[in-house]
Amino acid sequence: MTTTLSSIVIDCADPTALAAFYAKATGWQSTGGDADFAGLEGGPVPVSFQRVDGYQGPGWPADGKHLHLEFKVSDVEAAKQELTALGATVPDFQPGGGDWTVLLDPEGHPFCLMAG
């Protein structure tokens, strides 16, 4: 069997706001949406956000974290400053010995930055 990854869908409380954050963070384009679903295209795989009633972010660090996104950037410190200005936060716990930097999006989903 051969399969092709067609999209990544992330549960959240506010799809429109979270899609706007990631659009600014990545430069990808919105594919539209509404209060229940919003999407982005422009990377290797489209990313979408779907509203879940009562959604609570996964927490960091915490057991039960299911997945996270990783982004390569030319300057990790500059990207970290730009992303925090957009609403990301930098948690105290930073595993990886400097190989990557963990940030949290405005709803608490962890994502990583690495030099690339």
Side-chain angles (χ1 to χ4, degrees), residues 3-90:
T3 61
T4 301
L5 181 63
S6 63
S7 179
I8 296 170
V9 180
I10 298 173
D11 293 347
C12 62
D14 187 343
T16 304
L18 203 53
F21 168 81
Y22 280 103
K24 291 175 187 171
T26 61
W28 299 355
Q29 299 299 310
S30 171
T31 58
D34 55 32
D36 292 322
F37 191 87
L40 299 176
E41 290 183 347
V45 176
V47 177
S48 299
F49 307 90
Q50 68 181 3
R51 188 177 68 78
V52 172
D53 288 335
Y55 180 79
Q56 295 182 359
W60 175 261
D63 292 336
K65 178 177 67 65
H66 297 277
L67 89 112
H68 66 275
L69 302 175
E70 296 188 347
F71 297 99
K72 288 184 180 180
V73 296
S74 59
D75 183 331
V76 172
E77 282 303 313
K80 184 168 68 169
Q81 289 178 359
E82 290 176 29
L83 291 163
T84 56
L86 293 174
T89 57
V90 181

